[in-house]
Amino acid sequence: MSPASAEPLNALSPQRARAALLECCGSDRWAERVAAGRPYPTAAAVLDAAGDAWDALDEDDWRTAFAAHARVGEPNPDDRQGSAEQAGAATATPAQRRALRDANLAYEARFGHVFLICATGLDAPQMLAALDARITNAPAVEFRVAAREQRKITDARLRALFAR
């Protein structure tokens, strides 16, 4: 990343910066913390600050961020970024869509939050395989795995923000 690539975030008004950051993560506290650090000298500095802000959140904040996501295989059509991230699910067969829906529901019943995976580049069978593998995790383990996946999603969305 070039040093100037943080400029798209730095150039936004405080309100727009916070809104753009909220689209990246879904946690108000995270967005406020990252926005408060502007201006950033580089995109790498934004990513570092974003990681530090994520690590400083508590479980309630993480759950808020999780809740901002649509189910895997069921992207919200109003969320262009989420739809692009889940583009691999668009070619799912009807049987795969049913299997994803059923697996999502079972996951949510077990863990109390939506299944999170950085889905960019994954197809429906890969998403389903990850769901099937992770549903056997202990709840505390899975919560941490979901938090790591949320952080990956956030980083990818930040990188897309820099490219605007």
Side-chain angles (χ1 to χ4, degrees), residues 27-47:
S27 164
D28 290 318
R29 280 191 36 197
W30 178 89
E32 288 169 8
R33 285 181 182 196
V34 177
R38 294 179 324 127
Y40 289 99
T42 64
V46 178
L47 292 171

Side-chain angles (χ1 to χ4, degrees), residues 8-9 12 16-28 30-32 34-35 46-47 50-51 54 57 62 64-66 68-69 79 81-82 85 116 118 147-164:
L9 177 62
L12 296 173
R16 287 186 178 221
R18 190 179 172 288
L21 290 165
L22 198 54
E23 288 179 17
C24 292
C25 180
S27 164
D28 290 318
W30 178 89
E32 288 169 8
V34 177
V46 178
L47 292 171
W54 180 254
L57 297 179
W62 288 356
T64 299
F66 296 173
H69 291 276
D79 177 5
Q81 181 116 12
E85 291 164 357
L116 286 166
C118 189
R148 279 194 308 271
E149 290 298 313
Q150 172 67 55
R151 187 167 173 179
K152 289 180 200 174
I153 294 164
T154 299
D155 282 356
R157 289 180 176 193
L158 279 170
R159 291 173 193 279
L161 177 64
F162 304 146
R164 291 184 190 165

